[in-house]
Amino acid sequence: MTVGGNDVRAVFAAAADAVKRARAGEGAPLIECRTYRTRAHAEGMGDFTYRTREEVESWKARCPIQTYWQRLLAEGLATETELTAIEQRWQQTVVEAFQQASSDPLPAAATATRQMVSRSSGEIVRRSCAAGRSPSPISARGADNCGAIGSAT
C-alpha cells in the first residue's frame, strides 16, 4: 500500500488498516510512505547539483508536522496553547530519553546477537548458547541452533 507520507491522517488510516488486516491473519502488510528528504545526505554536504533550492523549499512547505498543526487549528480541534504544550512535552521526552541513553552503560559485546529473529521460525531468540556461541539467524534449525553465525548446521 502506498500513501502520501506527509499526510498525517492518510498515514494513520493506512497504519490502522494494516493493523486490522494483520490481526485478521491477512499477512504482514507493507506501507510505503512517499515523502521527500529535505536535507542533504550528510551534514555539510551540498546537494543542489541534482535538485534545486526551489524544489527543496517547496517540500519544506509540506512539512507534515507544520501542516497538521495548521489543520488542527483550522478545524478547531486544538488551540495554539494546547499544541505548544504537546510540543514542549515531547521535546522534554526526547531530552530525557537522550539523557537516559547517554548515562546507561554500553551493552557487552557478547550480547550483540541476543534476541535475534529466526528466519525459519520468526520467533525471537531469547537464550544464550553453550560455549559462548551465538544462535544462528540463518540456520535451517532457526532458534534451536547454537552454531556459529551464518552456520547452516
Side-chain angles (χ1 to χ4, degrees):
M1 158 184 336
T2 301
V3 65
N6 286 25
D7 183 338
V8 173
R9 288 184 180 164
V11 172
F12 182 86
D17 182 58
V19 168
K20 180 181 172 187
R21 291 184 325 176
R23 288 181 178 158
E26 297 178 25
L30 174 67
I31 303 171
E32 177 188 20
C33 297
R34 303 292 306 252
T35 189
Y36 186 88
R37 179 185 44 77
T38 59
R39 301 199 46 171
H41 285 288
E43 290 301 316
M45 178 183 189
D47 65 345
F48 293 112
T49 58
Y50 61 92
R51 60 187 187 168
T52 66
R53 283 181 165 72
E54 293 78 20
E55 177 184 356
V56 173
E57 290 304 317
S58 74
W59 276 94
K60 283 183 180 180
R62 301 180 212 177
C63 169
I65 295 170
Q66 292 303 317
T67 55
Y68 196 60
W69 183 297
Q70 294 305 316
R71 189 173 182 178
L72 291 171
L73 292 173
E75 294 177 4
L77 297 173
T79 66
E80 190 77 35
T81 301
E82 291 169 324
L83 295 175
T84 299
I86 291 168
E87 182 178 33
Q88 290 170 344
R89 281 196 309 268
W90 71 254
Q91 285 178 345
Q92 183 60 35
T93 299
V94 169
V95 167
E96 290 169 3
F98 178 80
Q99 289 170 341
Q100 179 66 45
S102 297
S103 66
D104 282 349
L106 293 174
T111 66
T113 58
R114 289 193 185 153
Q115 297 194 4
M116 297 170 62
V117 176
S118 167
R119 292 180 191 209
S120 61
S121 69
E123 294 183 23
I124 295 177
V125 176
R126 295 187 186 271
R127 63 184 175 83
S128 298
C129 293
R133 295 172 75 190
S134 301
S136 171
I138 60 173
S139 166
R141 294 188 304 180
D144 293 330
N145 179 31
C146 281
I149 295 297
S151 170
T153 60

